[in-house]
Amino acid sequence: NAGVTQTPKFQVLKTGQSMTLQCAQDMNHEYMSWYRQDPGMGLRLIHYSVGAGITDQGEVPNGYNVSRSTTEDFPLRLLSAAPSQTSVYFCASRAGTGIANEKLFFGSGTQLSVL
Amino acid sequence: GDSVTQMEGPVTLSEEAFLTINCTYTATGYPSLFWYVQYPGEGLQLLLKATKADDKGSNKGFEATYRKETTSFHLEKGSVQVSDSAVYFCALSDDYKLSFGAGTTVTVRA
């Protein structure tokens, strides 16, 4: 099983450029999420989705958009990149709700630099 | 809101030493608690979890006990190996949202 696949692994953008980080999972998970990881701050939730067609904001949603048209895919869009968005981004999924489904499966991350 | 505080690193140990990483939490309800581990260049993976007070999670020689009275979930391992070098994150689950601590970098030297 591929699990959670993120592309690209590395990306450099100029301020004001837009781009989409891709995330796909092949485990038929209902729940998908995006986190950013910054030194000394741990992981912070950007957006999440509890199923196709349903998305919601996390802790740090400003500057990012998401959509969930299929169960498998959950892309993260940066509309106008800013240096403050330089970070490592992780996509994560889990089977659903409830204690039995709390385990998150993470992708390998995308390292983004905004100049 | 719910939050997690874990001890700051970095922590450097010799092989076979005892490891403790402190984690305390603030929550209005009764969240599940987790330790995730991130090896160099990889995403996070679940190390262990506990879902209610006095539960002990264990995996790969690591242990942590859910202490409601002290709101803590400290991670321990009796004898670390070089392969345990990683970043360790304490986390709690509040319905759909997982809140992470800042992470503790552990380096084990041979």
Side-chain angles (χ1 to χ4, degrees):
Chain A
N1 279 347
V4 180
T5 303
Q6 287 183 239
T7 56
K9 289 192 180 299
F10 303 94
Q11 183 70 49
V12 179
L13 293 177
K14 294 181 179 178
T15 297
Q17 286 185 315
S18 63
M19 79 157 296
T20 299
L21 306 185
Q22 301 291 344
C23 176
Q25 53 89 10
D26 62 358
M27 297 173 283
N28 200 32
H29 283 175
E30 289 296 320
Y31 176 93
M32 297 184 73
S33 56
W34 278 100
Y35 287 86
R36 60 177 289 172
Q37 183 181 24
D38 300 294
M41 304 188 73
L43 277 78
R44 292 180 293 169
L45 182 63
I46 304 171
H47 285 286
Y48 66 97
S49 169
V50 299
I54 305 169
T55 63
D56 206 347
Q57 295 180 351
E59 184 183 355
V60 288
N62 292 341
Y64 307 95
N65 270 2
V66 293
S67 61
R68 184 95 179 270
S69 57
T70 67
T71 300
E72 295 78 18
D73 300 300
F74 191 47
L76 178 72
R77 298 183 186 86
L78 282 70
L79 305 175
S80 178
S84 60
Q85 294 179 304
T86 294
S87 187
V88 180
Y89 291 84
F90 287 100
C91 181
S93 72
R94 71 185 218 199
T97 59
I99 290 176
N101 295 318
E102 285 180 314
K103 178 181 177 181
L104 270 179
F105 295 79
F106 283 83
S108 57
T110 295
Q111 189 169 321
L112 175 68
S113 294
V114 183
L115 306 177
Chain B
D2 294 357
S3 64
V4 170
T5 302
Q6 64 182 98
M7 64 181 280
E8 295 184 14
V11 175
T12 303
L13 303 164
S14 297
E15 223 170 8
E16 299 183 2
F18 185 86
L19 171 67
T20 298
I21 304 175
N22 290 340
C23 172
T24 57
Y25 68 91
T26 302
T28 54
Y30 302 95
S32 295
L33 300 174
F34 307 83
W35 278 100
Y36 278 80
V37 59
Q38 182 181 31
Y39 298 105
E42 298 181 9
L44 282 71
Q45 53 186 277
L46 180 65
L47 180 60
L48 53 85
K49 66 178 278 189
T51 58
K52 61 183 186 296
D54 298 325
D55 266 2
K56 177 185 285 188
S58 61
N59 186 26
K60 299 181 180 180
F62 289 89
E63 293 183 342
T65 301
Y66 191 144
R67 301 287 188 196
K68 185 169 177 287
E69 64 276 12
T70 55
T71 61
S72 65
F73 192 57
H74 305 322
L75 182 68
E76 297 180 337
K77 185 173 185 180
S79 177
V80 294
Q81 305 299 314
V82 172
S83 57
D84 294 324
S85 297
V87 182
Y88 294 82
F89 293 90
C90 187
L92 67 80
S93 178
D94 173 19
D95 197 10
Y96 292 113
K97 302 175 184 177
L98 204 62
S99 298
F100 288 87
T104 301
T105 300
V106 174
T107 302
V108 180
R109 294 182 174 168

